[in-house]
């Protein structure tokens, strides 16, 4: 990893801001879109760029905001990669968010988030905290192949359950579903059952498939050659260089997904899920010192 002093930390606006404390990732997921050339990495993806001044930048940015809102993290790089164990920059940023009365929406695949349960709980009691967990495959052996350097599905479900016990709402990203690999109804239904048992608020699933771009596609195909010999040619013949790579089972799987979520009272359209993630509780706006 290498360290930089960033010029800014927040992106977005209109009541919701995103931040990425790190750039790159060490989880080793074979399908990671963040590897795509369009993101213009100038360093190796596993050579993590650390924004060492992130807490100071965040504190200055939040002081300048007139009203508290939700701060999201984890959309591009997981905030709980291996380096967080020693750097604790995510934790320091959570402390800043809690001190200023803002809310947070954290997206991760890692059980390292449990080490910050005290801060997540404090933020949720003062404003709002939502923990987002990515789940892709029920089969643990398959999980170890496609997401090799991060905790497995069962451990992530334990994280969701721990959040439920604390009253911290959760949202699951059911993505990606890889054609001819984990695009089976048994896999999707097992994950959905577990989500219902964990009491998740909503599930984000744009479609049953994945997206591939230059940079990401080459890495993914190399992984197919390594773990699923012969499958790369099936992809090339069926999808060519398409960006959207839907499963041939997508219509049936999406019907299963929407029906299940409706029956169990879970949010299941991207618009509804993002509206929930972005919404800051009005009651905390009304009592905020920011409006005095």
């Amino acid at each position: 990893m290498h360290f930089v002093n960033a010029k800014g930390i927040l992106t977005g606006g209109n009541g919701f801001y995103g931040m990425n404390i790190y750039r790159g990732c060490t989880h080793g997921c074979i399908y990671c879109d963040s590897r795509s050339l369009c993101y213009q990495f100038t360093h190796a993806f596993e050579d993590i760029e650390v924004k060492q001044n992130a807490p100071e930048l965040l504190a200055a940015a939040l002081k300048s905001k007139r009203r508290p809102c939700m701060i999201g993290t984890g959309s591009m790089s997981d905030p709980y990669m291996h380096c967080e164990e020693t750097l604790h920059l995510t934790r320091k940023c959570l402390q800043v968010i809690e001190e200023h009365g803002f809310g947070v929406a954290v997206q991760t695949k890692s059980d390292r988030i449990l080490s910050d349960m005290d801060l997540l709980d404090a933020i949720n009691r003062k404003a709002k905290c939502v923990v987002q967990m990515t789940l892709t495959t029920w089969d643990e052996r398959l999980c170890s192949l496609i997401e090799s350097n991060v905790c497995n599905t069962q451990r992530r479900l334990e994280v969701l359950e721990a959040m439920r016990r604390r009253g911290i709402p959760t949202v699951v990203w059911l993505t990606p579903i890889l054609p001819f690999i984990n695009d089976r109804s048994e896999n999707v239904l097992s994950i959905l059952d577990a989500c219902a048992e964990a009491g998740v608020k909503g599930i984000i699933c744009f479609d049953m498939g994945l997206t591939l771009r230059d940079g990401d596609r080459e890495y993914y195909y190399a992984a197919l050659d390594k773990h699923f010999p012969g499958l790369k040619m099936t992809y090339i013949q069926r999808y060519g260089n398409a960006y959207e790579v839907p499963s041939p089972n997508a219509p049936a799987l999406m019907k299963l997904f929407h029906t299940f979520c409706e029956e169990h009272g879970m949010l299941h359209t991207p618009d509804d899920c993002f509206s929930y993630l972005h919404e800051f509780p009005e009651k905390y706006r009304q009592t905020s010192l920011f409006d005095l």
Side-chain angles (χ1 to χ4, degrees), residues 27-245:
H27 285 343
C29 303
I30 68 172
Y31 51 74
C32 183
D33 177 72
S34 294
R35 291 181 179 274
S36 301
L37 297 180
C38 65
Y39 299 118
Q40 299 179 333
F41 274 79
T42 57
H43 56 86
F45 192 70
E46 288 79 11
D47 177 18
I48 306 304
E49 181 177 285
V50 179
K51 299 176 184 177
Q52 60 186 350
N53 59 336
E56 294 78 15
L57 288 174
L58 182 61
L62 297 192
K63 286 178 183 177
S64 71
K65 304 300 178 190
R66 181 173 168 271
R67 289 158 61 89
C69 62
M70 295 295 290
I71 307 295
T73 189
S75 62
M76 280 290 294
S77 295
D78 198 307
Y80 287 100
M81 289 181 291
H82 303 80
C83 57
E84 174 64 15
E85 290 184 355
T86 55
L87 298 177
H88 306 298
L89 286 178
T90 298
R91 180 172 181 83
K92 292 175 183 177
C93 287
L94 290 176
Q95 289 172 331
V96 172
I97 290 170
E98 193 276 333
E99 289 169 2
H100 288 80
F102 281 66
V104 70
V106 184
Q107 184 177 348
T108 186
K109 288 188 180 84
S110 176
D111 58 350
R112 292 184 186 90
I113 193 172
L114 292 174
S115 65
D116 288 339
M117 181 69 85
D118 58 332
L119 284 170
L120 300 173
D121 191 35
I123 292 170
N124 196 48
R125 284 186 279 108
K126 182 181 288 188
K128 178 182 175 182
C129 173
V130 185
V131 170
Q132 305 163 76
M133 186 65 68
T134 299
L135 303 177
T136 63
T137 185
W138 189 255
D139 183 276
E140 296 303 337
R141 179 181 174 277
L142 181 58
C143 185
S144 69
L145 294 180
I146 67 175
E147 301 163 342
S148 58
N149 298 327
V150 69
C151 65
N152 62 25
T153 299
Q154 293 303 317
R155 180 57 174 161
R156 294 179 218 174
L157 290 169
E158 291 175 5
V159 172
L160 293 173
E161 176 59 27
M163 298 300 163
R164 186 193 65 79
R165 290 196 299 268
R166 287 292 190 105
I168 297 172
T170 55
V171 168
V172 162
W173 289 69
L174 181 59
T175 181
I177 298 298
L178 309 177
F180 312 108
I181 295 177
N182 63 343
D183 58 339
R184 303 179 311 280
S185 59
E186 295 84 359
N187 177 57
V188 172
L189 188 57
S190 294
I191 293 173
L192 292 175
D193 280 334
C195 288
E197 186 174 347
V200 305
K201 179 73 175 180
I203 303 177
I204 297 173
C205 179
F206 296 98
D207 198 0
M208 296 293 173
L210 81 159
T211 58
L212 293 176
R213 294 189 256 211
D214 291 344
D216 170 26
R217 182 184 294 107
E218 290 78 5
Y219 189 86
Y220 182 68
Y221 279 175
L224 292 187
D225 281 340
K226 179 179 180 180
H227 301 298
F228 310 96
L231 188 53
K232 179 177 75 173
M233 187 54 61
T234 300
Y235 271 71
I236 293 172
Q237 292 173 346
R238 186 179 183 94
Y239 304 111
N241 287 326
Y243 169 61
E244 295 184 354
V245 181

Side-chain angles (χ1 to χ4, degrees), residues 245-286:
V245 181
S247 164
N249 304 324
L253 292 177
M254 288 302 290
K255 182 178 180 180
L256 170 66
F257 165 66
H258 287 302
T259 299
F260 185 96
C261 290
E262 288 174 1
E263 291 176 349
H264 289 80
M266 293 186 286
L267 301 176
H268 56 96
T269 68
D271 284 348
D272 287 345
C273 289
F274 286 123
S275 292
Y276 175 72
L277 290 169
H278 295 178
E279 181 185 17
F280 188 87
E282 190 63 30
K283 63 180 179 179
Y284 294 111
R285 291 194 195 279
Q286 294 170 353

